[in-house]
Every structure is written in C-alpha cells, then in structure tokens.
C-alpha cells in the first residue's frame, strides 16, 4: 500500500494527513451499486457477519493491516505494532495481547514460536520505543523485527535485522532442513538521498533465521531480480510482494511494473524464469496468488495506492482489478480481469488488495479484500470467466469526504473468513454455499498466505 518514497519515515502520519484530514480529497458521493448508508453493513445471502472486534486502546486510532494464523490464534499487523486474537470461538474472538511497536504497516508472519514483523518506516533505532527519523540520516533503521510468541499473552522482542530500503512486505520460506526459515524481504522507493536505499534497488534481501537461535538472524543474500537481460525489461526498483509455493519450488512476484515467476528450488538463489507487463491496464503490481495446482496466477493491481476511489464506472472493469494468468510450463498467458462490479461511492477508497484461496479440490475459489469495496468471494475455475459468488461490505465511512478505510486483508482459515479492516478492526465472516462448503474439511495448523500450503481435503 502506498508509494513509500513519498512517505518514508513519516508513513503513518502522512497517510492520516493526506487521506483523513487533507482538504483536497472531499468528493461528492456518486451512485453506489450497493446504495449503503454510512457504516451500514450488507452481505450476499450466503455470507453472514459472524463477529466484530473494534480496535482498542493504543490501537484505536491506528491502521490495521495484514494477518497470519496459527492454531486458534490470529496475528494482525497494525501501524502501531500487532494484535493477537483468540479465535477458538469464531463467534466471539478475544484480544489476547497488543504489542505496541510502531514501524510502518507491519507485514506479519508466524512460524513455530516466532513472529516476524516488517518495518518500513525509518526509525531512530530498532527498539519499540524508537521515533521517526528521516531516511536521509545514515543512522536511521528499518528492516525486520523478530518476536517470540510462545506465550501469546506476553510476546518477547528477540531480534532485529536491518535491510536495504526497509521491509515493506516479507515472505516466509521454510528451509527443507526444518532448522532455518528464510524471509524474502520486498521493499522499494530508492532515492539518491537515502544512504541505505540507493537506486536502482533492483533486488530483494533474504534473511536466514535459525529457528532455535533467532538472535543470530542475518541477511545472507541480496539477489538482483531485475538486471538488464536484453529482453526489454529494466530494473523496476523493487518488488511490492512475493508469494512462495515452497512445495512446488516456485514463487510469483508482484514487482511494481512487472509480474514475475521465480524458481526457488535453491531458496538462497531465486531465479527469474518469466516476466510479464501490462502497460494498458495495470498501474502497480501489488500481490500474487497461485491456484492449488500452480497452473494459474492471480496478480492484483493497486491502482491509486489503495487511497483512491477506483471502483466506479469512470475507472471501469479492467483497471484496479485482478489479472488472471494461466501458467503453462514457465510461461504466463493472460486470460481475463476480475473486478467487483458493485460500484462504490467516490468517498470510498477501493481497489484489489490481499486475499487467499478457499481450499476446495477441483475449484479455484478465492476470498479477497477490496478496501471500502469490502470482501469478495469469487470463482476463477474458468480463467476466462471469473464470477463473484458472495460478498460483505460496509457503507462509506463518510458521505462527504474520502477517509481511508475498509478491508486490508481477507483470508479463509479453518472454516471462516477473517478480515482486517483498516479502521473498524477485526471481522469474522461465515460463508455457506455449495461451492465453498467442502473447504470446511480442511484444517490447518498455521497459515501465512504469502507462503501457500498444499491443502489436504476440501473434497
């Protein structure tokens, strides 16, 4: 979310000023396909709004972001740190702990007793008490924080690793030996004035974390993914997000101006094997999702950086959408776009954002966040004809001005859909539909959506 080069070091504050208090963004409400009043909730007939937990305490006025899951726990990132929820009873989630540790959008993953938190806001040091510091200062710090969450009620900060240009997002790739975990760190926004974030920054950082000794975590590789190869592709100044499919030795990267496929059979030496561009309709390649057979990839376009009203008739059905590609061998073959057709008010930021597969064998089903466009459940089994099969959404935060909000991430986990709303908090949804019902048979011990698992069941 958002181009970091304009907000480095003051990202959360800049977002609040630009999108909440800024005088230039007031808009007259346009017709909405759902015609909802402010904060009114609507769902399709097959979706139930099961539970809601509003943000509390130091997190009440901060932005919620991405999520990870382990057992009966949900870990939700936030511009102020992260929150742990007990979801053993999905109808009544309980807050277990809130860890105050500011540092940008706080992309989050979990692995065993460890939680990893991205820091993409220049800080005075690596502590949770740090303050914002300009990235022009050589002493500024950003990168990856590591916590021990073996006691989820009392997480402990155990390590920090600085990375080039910080960590906007990261992807967890477990080593095959079970003793290490690698973190693919994606970041961007280089400038000549930033000592630790120099152009062209056409690389990712790979952190090696010894599971039994996380204090020894360190950057062990910085592979260049965008060196000029004679094929017309030049450096793209970084990736926004990478989704790995470790059991298939493959990854897909959404790298601002490029969609890429990586061979990760040697995880410390990822190799680009395919690149595509869409100069007609894609503005900012944001994230990627494989289908279960790794024969398709859904790329998202975060048109407007997540802060603009793009789900309307004027923008149309192809921009700010998903692009579905069939993966044939190592070649990506474009099939179609998918975008919610429920037009939103011009006061609602809305564009394709984070989602996950719904595990049903023989079907390609996905749940996805669309900011103030809500949560969409859709079917791309027919790559050329994707269809929405369910939705949840709220009316606009305001009927007179654009205020940043809506679902940042919406993921399916062990029978329910969980949504992290930027301003409203944590939502639990239940879908009851013949297409998605078989997914209830799939029970997972852990889910980091950008590390896709091989599902068992879902028949």
């Amino acid at each position: 979310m958002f181009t970091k080069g304009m907000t480095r070091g003051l990202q959360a504050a800049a977002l609040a000023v630009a999108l909440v208090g800024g005088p230039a963004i007031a808009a007259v409400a346009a017709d909405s396909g759902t015609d909802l009043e402010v904060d009114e909730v609507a769902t399709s007939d097959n979706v139930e709004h099961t539970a809601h937990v509003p943000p509390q305490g130091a997190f009440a006025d901060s932005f919620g972001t991405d999520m990870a899951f382990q057992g009966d726990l949900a870990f939700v990132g936030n511009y102020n740190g992260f929150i742990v929820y007990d979801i053993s009873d999905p109808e009544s989630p309980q807050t277990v702990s809130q860890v105050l540790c500011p540092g940008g959008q706080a992309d989050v993953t979990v692995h065993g007793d460890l939680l990893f938190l991205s820091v993409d806001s220049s800080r005075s040091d690596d502590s949770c008490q740090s303050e914002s510091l300009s990235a022009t200062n050589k002493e500024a710090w950003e990168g990856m924080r590591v916590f021990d969450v073996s006691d989820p009620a009392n997480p402990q900060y155990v390590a920090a690793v600085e990375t080039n240009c910080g960590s906007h997002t990261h992807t967890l790739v477990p080593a095959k030996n079970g003793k290490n975990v690698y973190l693919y760190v994606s970041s961007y926004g280089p400038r000549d004035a930033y000592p630790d974030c120099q152009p062209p920054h056409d690389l990712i950082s790979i952190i090696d974390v010894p599971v039994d000794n996380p204090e020894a975590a360190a950057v062990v590789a910085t592979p260049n993914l965008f060196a000029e190869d004679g094929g017309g592709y030049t450096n793209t100044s970084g990736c926004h997000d990478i989704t790995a499919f470790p059991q298939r030795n493959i990854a897909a990267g959404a790298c601002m101006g490029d969609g890429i496929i990586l061979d990760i059979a040697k995880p410390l030496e990822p190799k680009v094997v395919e690149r595509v561009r869409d100069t007609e309709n894609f503005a900012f390649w944001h994230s990627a999702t494989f289908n279960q057979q790794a024969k398709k990839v859904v790329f998202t376009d975060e048109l407007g950086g997540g802060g603009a009203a793009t789900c309307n008739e004027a923008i149309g059905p192809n921009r700010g959408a998903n692009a579905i590609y069939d993966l044939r061998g190592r070649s990506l073959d474009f099939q179609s776009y998918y975008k919610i057709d429920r037009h939103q008010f011009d006061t609602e930021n809305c564009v394709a954002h984070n989602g996950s597969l719904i595990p049903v064998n023989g079907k390609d089903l996905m749940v996805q966040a669309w900011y103030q466009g809500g949560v969409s459940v859709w079917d791309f089994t027919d790559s050329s004809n994707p269809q929405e099969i369910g939705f949840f959404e709220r009316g606009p935060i305001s009927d007179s001005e654009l205020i940043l909000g809506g679902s940042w991430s919406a993921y399916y986990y062990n029978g329910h859909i969980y949504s992290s709303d930027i301003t409203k908090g944590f939502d639990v949804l239940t879908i009851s539909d013949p297409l998605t019902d078989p997914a209830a048979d799939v029970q997972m011990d852990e889910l980091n959506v950008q590390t896709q698992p091989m599902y068992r069941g879902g028949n």
Side-chain angles (χ1 to χ4, degrees), residues 162-173 182-188 200-207 219-227 236-244 251-255 260 262-264 266-272:
E162 188 171 16
T163 58
N164 290 333
C165 296
S167 174
H168 193 68
T169 65
H170 70 273
T171 303
L172 190 152
V173 181
Y182 304 119
L183 305 177
Y184 286 11
V185 175
S186 297
S187 54
Y188 55 93
H201 190 64
D202 45 6
L203 55 82
I204 61 171
S205 297
I206 301 179
I207 297 174
V219 174
V220 293
T222 53
N224 186 330
L225 302 184
F226 296 99
T236 192
S237 76
C239 291
H240 180 276
D241 212 343
I242 293 173
T243 293
C255 300
I260 65 173
L262 294 164
D263 181 333
I264 60 170
K266 297 180 179 180
L268 295 181
E269 302 175 21
K271 182 180 178 181
V272 177

Side-chain angles (χ1 to χ4, degrees), residues 17-93:
V17 170
L19 295 175
V20 178
I25 57 172
V28 176
D31 289 340
S32 169
T34 50
D35 198 26
L36 297 178
E37 301 293 335
V38 170
D39 286 340
E40 183 181 3
V41 170
T43 69
S44 55
D45 291 341
N46 56 357
V47 173
E48 173 190 301
H49 189 199
T50 303
H52 172 64
V53 183
Q56 303 167 17
F59 291 76
D61 297 319
S62 186
F63 298 150
T65 60
D66 208 4
M67 298 181 289
F69 301 87
Q70 187 179 82
D72 290 331
L73 299 173
F75 301 85
V76 182
N78 187 284
Y79 273 78
N80 268 349
F82 66 94
I83 305 171
V84 184
Y85 293 102
D86 181 338
I87 55 172
S88 56
D89 179 1
E91 296 184 0
S92 182

Side-chain angles (χ1 to χ4, degrees), residues 107-120:
D107 199 43
V108 61
T109 60
V110 292
H111 182 77
D113 290 338
L114 301 178
L115 178 143
F116 306 103
L117 202 67
S118 286
V119 178
D120 193 32

Side-chain angles (χ1 to χ4, degrees), residues 353-392:
H353 214 237
N354 293 348
S356 76
L357 292 184
I358 298 177
V360 175
N361 286 340
K363 297 289 184 182
D364 297 324
L365 308 177
M366 189 168 174
V367 57
Q368 187 175 3
W370 289 79
Y371 290 116
Q372 287 195 69
V375 175
S376 176
V377 181
W378 60 291
D379 181 349
F380 63 104
T381 307
D382 180 350
S383 302
S384 63
N385 188 33
Q387 301 287 329
E388 183 171 78
I389 59 176
F391 71 88
F392 160 86

Side-chain angles (χ1 to χ4, degrees), residues 265-279:
K266 297 180 179 180
L268 295 181
E269 302 175 21
K271 182 180 178 181
V272 177
V273 295
E274 170 71 322
R275 297 175 181 170
V276 292
R277 283 185 174 174
D278 181 344
T279 56

Side-chain angles (χ1 to χ4, degrees), residues 416-439:
H416 291 83
I417 294 168
Y418 296 90
S419 170
S420 171
D421 189 287
I422 295 170
T423 60
K424 301 297 183 182
F426 188 61
D427 289 297
V428 184
L429 311 175
T430 305
I431 184 166
S432 300
D433 188 278
L435 277 175
T436 60
D437 288 348

